[in-house]
Structure formats: C-alpha cells, structure tokens
Amino acid sequence: MNGVQASETEALFSVLRQSAGGDAVTAIEALVREGPDRALNRVNVLDFAVKNRLDEERAIAAFLHAARVGLFDLSWNVLCPGCGGVLDANASLKTVHTHDYNCALCGAGYQATLDEMVEVSFTVNPRIRRIAAHDPQALPMWEYQRQIFFGTGIDLPDKFEQIIDEIVIDSIELPPGERASLSLQLPSEFVIVFDPVTHAAQFLDVKGEPTRERQNLTVVFNKVRAQSATLQMRPGPLRLALENRTDVRVLPAVCVAGEALHHLLGKRRPFLTANRLLTNQTFRDIYRTDTLDVDQRLKITSLTFLFTDLKGSTELYERVGDLVAYDMVRAHFRILHEIIAAEAGAVVKTIGDAVMATFPTPDRAIAAALRMRDAMSSIKHGDRDLLLKIGIHEGPCLAVMVNDRQDYFGQTVNIASRVQGLAVSRSIFATGPVVEHPGSSSILKTSSLEPVRQRASLRGITDELVVYEIP
C-alpha cells in the first residue's frame, strides 16, 4: 500500500470499529494487510470465521459493515449445484434472474434458488488493495479456474495444480479472434473440452477399437452458451482445431472426466447463501430497500417463519392506561428484536403488536421462541406478565419486494401466520417440519419439553394440518 491508501484504509477501519465487533474487525484488518491475494478474492465468510475462531454472525455482520464503508465489494454469485462453478456473478441481487441457468460442464439447467444456488462473497475493494483477481484476464489459467470459475463452496486443495496435471490431457490460452490446434492422443475415457471463460463444453465419449487414423474436431468459442451433443470418437490421435470468436481470451482444456475430477468437484464446504443474508438483521438494517427489484420473484426452497402477537393487547391498554401500555409494548418489541438477531434471524415487519420474523433453520426459530416466552416475564405491570402468542412453520417461498420492503410470499407464510393464531396462552405452536428438525428436537429435549401432537383446521387452508403445541 502507498501512503494515501494506508491513511484511507486506516480511516475506514476506524469507522468499521465503531459498528462491528472487535475480534472480527481485527481479523479482517489482518487479512487486508497481510493476506495473500487469493485470500482477498471472493472471501467465504463462514470459512473465514472458522479459521479465525469467530462467531459466524459477528463475522457476517463485520463483513457487511466493511462493505458498507467501502473496504469490500459484495458479489452475488449463481452457482451450479453439480460442479460448484460460478454461472453468473452479480454486483447486486437485483440482476439475478429467475429463468434457467445452464452449466455446460454438467450439461444441465437449473432455476436459481436463494438458499442453494446463490452465494454471497466479499472481495477487497481495489482502492484499498489491488489484487490479481481484479484483472481476471491476466490471471494464469489455473488461477482463473480457482479464483473466478469455482465458487467458494468448492474446497480446492493446495495441490490443485498437481491434480489438474492428472486430469488434463492438454490446454491452451487462446487470445481473442485467434485460432489454434492441438494434437493429442484420446484415451478410452469420457473426455470434455471445456472453457471456463465462455462456459462452453464439448463432450467426447471415447470408446471402441483404437485407431491410428487421425480424427478431426473443431470447437468454436463465442458468447452463445449452446449445449453441444456428445460426440462418439475412438481412442487414438486427434487434431483439435480451436477458434476464439470472442473479444476476450479463452482457456480451453481437454480433461478426462474420471474419478479424479469427480473427487475434486465433490469436496464441498458451507458458504454464505443469499437466503441466509436476507434473513440477517444487520443486512436488512444496512440495505433496507436496495435488495430486490420490484418485478423479481426469487425462489427459496426452505425458510422458517415465526409470527408473534400479544395476547389481549386491547385489554392491556384499558387496564394500565395508554402511556404504561405503550412503554410495555415498546419494551416487548426491543426484546424480540434482540432475541431474533441473536438467533441469526431478522424482523421482516411489525403489524400492530405483531412481529413477522425469518430464520435460516427451524432450530434457530425454536430457540428464539423459547427465549421470547421466558423474556416476557421481565415485562409486567403488577403481577401480570405479557403473554406472547407464537407460531412457527418452515417451507418454500418467494422473496419479493412489497411497498419498497423486502418481503416474502407463499403458502408457507400463510400457514405460519395461521399457526400463530392457534396460540391462546404461553404455548408455542409449530408444524411438523419445525419440531421434527434434528436441531429443534435436541433443543426441546434439553429443555425437557414434550410437544403435543394435534390436528388443526386453519383458515384458508383446505386440508387439516398436523401441528405441535410446545407447553
């Protein structure tokens, strides 16, 4: 760093320390100052937290604040569930589209889901520190594969290039507008000609009697991601003609799609999903309305919804008076917000005296509900506690924008709201997917709570639903 960079960076870290946890900020500062270039590109926050022994939620919050002040840039990357490759990189979630993404390497199409296919990563801002990945076209071939093509959920080994040597028959860097040819021997294997820049692939099913006659194949790289049919070829010599019709270099490689490749792509690690970020209170507080486009409808395969409402709030105002009741209700909201954030959830909205919150997993919602119920004993007038009605349900939904606010839509939301309506006392009501989640079961068992199974008819829901009352 030069003097200007150093002073600007120090000023930004000073701002960051005012809003984020000390240990996380210290670790991020060490990363920016001392980390290798590769470590500052598309940072996997969950992996960063593990390696630095940080609480995940604190690490996520610290990186979000670091992005807000300009130390890092967020990227919303659409990943292939098969190979873990980045099918699309976006500076904003608004540009993630809802139609199919096709992976040429896997030969499959997928519709993006926020909890399975969209990762959020952080790259150091070039004004803070310039790294090699800021100019992807200058990266060496295999560093491009490692840092640009693969997402943060792939756990690539340090000996990545050694494994590549075992897999790759031949490869070449082909400048824009140029042609080249490779002469190689095809083994009796399934072979792929793949370019990570244009995401183009040609599959070769090499089998049968070996031949001494030279076979010929031409592969053209352009911006059209059309899926090629699998060609059958015989083991033996091949002249592979390559043509680059794009305005950037391409990096085609001829690979054997065998056990070594499958083992390489099979090593995965957790990554920060878009869904988890949307259910993070720090993210919602910082970005508020600048999340989705008004016309977007992005799918989430699993999200847990928790609804609360105060029992007898009208009677409370009559009993203790407007001023005291108002203070009690405000105190209740403050406690709920703190508990929801502490359990990795986020408040979507408040409606009167009710709260709608989301959690990444059912066990987090159960833990929050139990803490909420206990916390109400601290808000009382005379000898009477506030009673909180709580309902929880988990399932698929759509992330949408409603009235300039990021919200959720679907039957899962409706059911969660209706389940909350079943509660008439301190009991918490939850559906089967919530109670039967392994984490939830463990929490309930540790708390010596035995859910009571029952069937219930919910308004607007055709069939009866199995629900559990947690006493």
Side-chain angles (χ1 to χ4, degrees), residues 83-129:
C83 67
V86 175
L87 304 178
D88 191 22
N90 303 269
S92 167
L93 186 56
K94 290 182 177 182
T95 54
V96 174
H97 57 72
T98 55
H99 52 268
D100 284 356
Y101 285 89
N102 293 302
C103 178
L105 184 57
C106 295
Y110 308 92
Q111 192 172 57
T113 55
L114 296 182
D115 49 348
E116 294 177 335
M117 283 182 61
V118 182
E119 71 168 10
V120 182
S121 62
F122 297 79
T123 298
V124 68
N125 187 290
R127 289 184 58 193
I128 303 304
R129 179 174 156 185

Side-chain angles (χ1 to χ4, degrees), residues 183-195:
S183 294
L184 47 90
Q185 287 286 322
L186 286 178
S188 185
E189 303 266 7
F190 197 86
V191 172
I192 304 175
V193 182
F194 177 68
D195 169 50

Side-chain angles (χ1 to χ4, degrees), residues 5 37 124-135:
Q5 279 182 310
D37 274 17
V124 68
N125 187 290
R127 289 184 58 193
I128 303 304
R129 179 174 156 185
R130 190 82 189 173
I131 60 173
H134 286 143
D135 184 10

Side-chain angles (χ1 to χ4, degrees), residues 47 51 146 151-157 263-269:
D47 188 56
K51 289 178 178 176
R146 178 193 282 275
T152 68
I154 290 287
D155 189 10
L156 296 176
H263 180 71
L264 179 69
L265 301 181
K267 297 186 70 175
R268 304 297 174 96
R269 61 186 176 188

Side-chain angles (χ1 to χ4, degrees), residues 230-443:
T230 300
L231 298 177
Q232 285 198 1
M233 305 197 86
R234 293 166 64 184
L238 171 69
R239 183 181 181 275
L240 178 61
L242 304 168
E243 183 179 351
N244 182 4
R245 293 183 183 173
T246 76
D247 56 359
V248 296
R249 66 165 184 174
V250 294
L251 304 170
V254 185
C255 312
V256 175
E259 277 300 313
L261 178 61
H262 293 306
H263 180 71
L264 179 69
L265 301 181
K267 297 186 70 175
R268 304 297 174 96
R269 61 186 176 188
F271 59 87
L272 178 60
T273 64
N275 180 37
R276 180 165 179 181
L277 204 58
L278 292 183
T279 63
N280 178 280
Q281 191 64 55
T282 300
F283 176 79
R284 292 187 71 99
D285 290 345
I286 291 175
Y287 290 90
R288 297 186 181 275
T289 62
D290 190 29
T291 307
L292 295 169
D293 187 76
V294 68
D295 294 322
Q296 275 181 299
R297 306 288 186 270
L298 295 177
K299 288 187 176 182
I300 297 173
T301 58
S302 173
L303 190 62
T304 303
F305 291 89
L306 180 149
F307 280 82
T308 74
D309 197 10
L310 283 175
K311 182 176 186 294
S313 57
T314 302
E315 184 270 336
L316 174 69
Y317 279 86
E318 292 179 353
R319 179 166 57 86
V320 302
D322 288 350
L323 185 60
V324 174
Y326 177 69
D327 287 341
M328 292 175 72
V329 171
R330 281 188 63 194
H332 132 272
F333 276 133
R334 185 179 65 254
I335 288 173
L336 294 194
H337 275 72
E338 290 173 354
I339 291 173
I340 290 166
E343 292 296 340
V347 174
V348 178
K349 57 189 172 186
T350 58
I351 311 159
D353 299 329
V355 169
M356 172 185 173
T358 56
F359 295 85
T361 52
D363 55 326
R364 292 284 202 171
I366 287 289
L370 296 176
R371 290 178 61 183
M372 290 174 182
R373 182 167 68 178
D374 292 342
M376 288 304 99
S377 63
S378 67
I379 309 173
K380 61 177 64 181
H381 187 270
D383 60 348
R384 297 174 68 174
D385 300 348
L386 287 183
L387 283 179
L388 195 64
K389 301 186 293 180
I390 304 175
I392 312 171
H393 180 50
E394 175 271 339
C397 63
L398 294 176
V400 298
M401 286 296 289
V402 178
N403 298 325
D404 293 327
R405 179 193 294 270
Q406 194 258 305
D407 207 335
Y408 299 92
F409 177 82
Q411 190 75 316
T412 297
V413 183
N414 297 334
I415 291 175
S417 175
R418 302 289 188 266
V419 168
Q420 180 271 316
L422 297 173
V424 294
S425 62
R426 292 184 76 253
S427 293
I428 298 164
F429 277 79
T431 58
V434 174
V435 172
E436 293 158 11
H437 182 272
S440 300
S441 300
S442 176
I443 290 170

Side-chain angles (χ1 to χ4, degrees), residues 14-31:
S14 179
V15 174
L16 181 60
R17 290 187 197 98
Q18 297 173 27
S19 54
D23 289 349
V25 174
T26 299
I28 292 173
E29 188 168 12
L31 175 66

Side-chain angles (χ1 to χ4, degrees), residues 31-32 35-45 47 63 72-75 77 86 89 119-126 129-136 139 143-152 269:
L31 175 66
V32 170
D37 274 17
R38 186 190 294 165
L40 284 157
N41 179 53
R42 291 184 179 168
V43 177
N44 179 325
V45 180
D47 188 56
F63 270 98
F72 283 83
D73 297 321
L74 270 78
S75 182
N77 307 318
V86 175
E119 71 168 10
V120 182
S121 62
F122 297 79
T123 298
V124 68
N125 187 290
R129 179 174 156 185
R130 190 82 189 173
I131 60 173
H134 286 143
D135 184 10
L139 284 172
E143 278 302 304
Y144 185 96
Q145 290 269 14
R146 178 193 282 275
Q147 295 193 47
I148 306 300
F149 177 73
F150 284 116
T152 68
R269 61 186 176 188

